[in-house]
Amino acid sequence: ACEGPSVSISYDPDITWARVKAHMHSHLARRLKLGEDTWLLHHASLIQRNEPDVCVLGITSTAALLLPISMPKYRNMARTLSNEQNFLLLNVTFYDALRSGFPIFGMIDGLATLEYRAWFLSEESLLYFAEPQEVEACHSPAARAPLG
């Protein structure tokens, strides 16, 4: 949850991870474009520039938030997400991610625009990544059945 003095934000004692999380949740709930929350943009940038990696999910969440600005080309976003922001490499469980309160999945969902997903089927994508494989289980009757 990134609470306590060992993981506090070092560049400004008045800024807490709880406050950053609250802004992230508000950003997602209000479906703001990144530039519309100047406080979050400013502090996410400072966090990326100044903070050590002791609050892994805070660093990862703010990096995902800034990814469309720092890596506007889809191929660069895909490279970053497949390497540096890979949960398996970060050694963070889904349980820990959910328990932390950082909206990392909301941030990632915000990146998954129709245009971005379509890019993975483009010629340019195939220069950098293998062709996406269809997962048979996704087409099973159980997977296609309505929930409820």
Side-chain angles (χ1 to χ4, degrees):
C2 296
E3 296 171 1
S6 65
V7 292
S8 63
I9 292 178
S10 60
Y11 73 87
D12 185 338
D14 294 330
I15 305 301
T16 64
W17 284 115
R19 190 169 173 195
V20 173
K21 284 190 270 190
H23 270 268
M24 290 178 152
H25 282 283
S26 175
H27 170 84
L28 291 169
R30 295 176 14 212
R31 298 177 184 259
L32 296 176
K33 289 185 170 58
L34 186 55
E36 293 178 280
D37 187 339
T38 56
W39 187 96
L40 184 56
L41 179 61
H42 174 74
H43 288 287
S45 299
L46 289 173
I47 287 166
Q48 288 299 302
R49 190 173 333 142
N50 298 313
E51 291 304 308
D53 291 343
V54 293
C55 179
V56 172
L57 287 169
I59 299 298
T60 302
S61 296
T62 53
L65 175 80
L66 295 172
L67 199 55
I69 293 173
S70 62
M71 304 272 174
K73 292 185 178 179
Y74 291 149
R75 69 173 180 260
N76 295 336
M77 283 179 32
R79 284 180 181 161
T80 299
L81 291 170
S82 66
N83 292 309
E84 296 153 19
Q85 292 188 351
N86 182 332
F87 274 117
L88 297 174
L89 296 177
L90 293 175
N91 197 25
V92 174
T93 66
F94 289 132
Y95 172 79
D96 290 331
L98 293 171
R99 197 176 74 146
S100 75
F102 283 100
I104 186 66
F105 298 111
M107 294 296 168
I108 292 170
D109 185 56
L111 296 173
T113 63
L114 291 174
E115 296 83 11
Y116 184 51
R117 291 185 311 211
W119 177 83
F120 285 98
L121 301 173
S122 72
E123 288 183 33
E124 181 187 28
S125 171
L126 297 176
L127 295 173
Y128 301 97
F129 299 95
E131 186 172 346
Q133 300 297 310
E134 289 289 326
V135 179
E136 190 174 317
C138 293
H139 301 286
S140 70
R144 295 196 174 269
L147 296 176

